[in-house]
Amino acid sequence: MNPTVIMPELTLDWDLCAKVLTGFIQSEVRRAGFRRVIVGVSGGVDSSLAVTLAAAAMGPGNVWGISMPYQASSPESLTHAQLIADRLEVNLFQVDITPQIDAYFAAFPDADHIRRGNKMARERMTILYDHSARLEALVLGTSNKTELLLGYGTLYGDMASALNPIGDLYKTQVRCLAAHLDVPAEIVGKKPSADLWVGQTDEDELGFSYEAVDRLLYYLVDRRYERPALIELGFEAQFVEAVSRRIQSSQYKRRPPVIAKVSGRTIDRDFRYPRDWGV
Amino acid sequence: MDKFTLGIAQLAPVLGDLERNLALHEKILREAEGQGVDLLLFPELSLTGYFLKDMVPSVALTPRDSRLDFLKRASRGMAIVVGFVEESSDHRFFNAAAYFDDGKLRHVHRKLYLPTYGLFDEQRYFAQGDKLRAFDTRFGRMALTICEDLWHPATAYLAALDGAQVILCVSASPGRGLRPGGTFANAAAWEHLNRAYAQLFTCFLCFCNRVGYEDGACFWGGSEVIAPTGEALVRAPQLEEALLTVTIDRREVQRERIANPLLRDERLDLTIRELKRITRELERILRARAKGTR
């Protein structure tokens, strides 16, 4: 796979894209009264891109990465986290989550790998937010548009953040922008994995490649193509069906919890203020 | 005055903070004075920010509000256009722009076309303006428009036929579509519109867009002034704050209208006749449909 070859439909002006996203980080962080950001650095391309953009936006000294391995995490993940941190000269420290995960599951030994994976993602979130308070640093999100649409993330786990610079970029766009910004080729080119259990890869678990699903998502979501038009483009009906179902069934993950309406003005229904309210 | 200096303040207002935005305007006014600006444009909703949602009533002003007095005072030396939320006496709220000159409020334009699609939701919060009037200034006859107004060619057409030789457009345009080419897809579209209007109506087109971010959306800037020839006289950078100045020579309108007498040949009678026919036919269809559903 050459990670920097991308469908023409998904090709962006990478320089301008980087400029918009660094400007976004600067603006959001400063207006909230902060100057530092903190990122969970996994050694994968999403967090490597987020940390690269953050270093450009806030200066490397204001960027804190935490790598949070579990004992089963691939050693390559740690090497790559260190590689990107060294290259950018951002701060990096490590918190091993093995003791807290193992202590918890000692009481629930029959928990399956999904429960364990979700628990790890949520432990990492609590660690990030704890150090967010300690360092007065905002938590930067690293979920891309592909995984947000597919619901391929843990609610209140890796999906939690104060601001997300890459949430409107598909995975293949994340790779291209990362390559454009000189994220090392071994990070950009490796098989994407949540690294929640040994040998896990995103594409095995999802059942399709990012190249294929990004192209479908582009026509389905961005261009609002209906099913017959998608099939005309050469997508298999089953693939279209499976992806559409995933988007629909994960909608709850992309919204705040639903509130039972009793008053005349309910939060997020008819009490509507921008997130950047007065900042 | 054949020649005047136009200033464009491509700024990033603070969302929902009138006090801070008033201070920001004062600061830029002083800068512009130092640069000999005769007419200074601020972008759409420059006093309030754009994605206000439920804040609209709390940042609204009546044109008589004393908080606008400093603009009246400052307009003794330089004409000023600002964007604000206008509350009418019957408590409707308008996305409006005001033209101050010689110590007085001279003209208010209420946005005619309120985008309510995609990331826009203006009709939820604002009432529609219902007038487009060119007005006389000491720099010649002008029309003031707001952003989406110019995505409806009737706006520019009416402005030109009402005698405007300078069309001012204040805008808060969020960038969408980052395909290769160095700009947002909608920014490229704006470039086409601005040039087309200037050329078709042989007038100056002065486009003042804002910068900054609100709720993740990025206002792209790129303010520009297009001469009646369709040629860009000046262009502000994308995404960055700027105070742009340019000399406008009104004789260019005359020169271009001699070379290209498009407006002389405009068939207003034909347009009105055909519009009336189209209206009659639409009404007939609507009446027939109403009968059919009974």
Side-chain angles (χ1 to χ4, degrees), chain B residues 34-50:
Chain B
Q35 296 190 27
V37 169
D38 296 307
L39 164 59
L40 180 63
L41 305 183
F42 287 96
E44 177 180 12
L45 294 175
S46 61
L47 288 176
T48 63
Y50 181 73

Side-chain angles (χ1 to χ4, degrees), chain A residues 127-146:
Chain A
I127 292 165
L128 275 172
Y129 273 87
D130 177 50
H131 289 280
S132 162
R134 177 175 77 89
L135 294 164
E136 295 176 12
L138 286 183
V139 176
L140 216 58
T142 61
S143 300
N144 60 58
K145 190 173 184 174
T146 310

Side-chain angles (χ1 to χ4, degrees), chain A residues 41-42 66-75 77-79 81 92-101 120 123-124 127 195:
Chain A
V41 180
S42 69
I66 317 185
S67 67
M68 294 170 280
Y70 178 67
Q71 61 178 7
S73 298
S74 145
S77 299
L78 282 181
T79 318
L92 180 74
F93 62 96
Q94 190 177 314
V95 177
D96 181 0
I97 63 168
T98 310
Q100 64 208 79
I101 294 296
M120 285 178 217
E123 288 300 319
R124 290 181 177 126
I127 292 165
D195 199 20

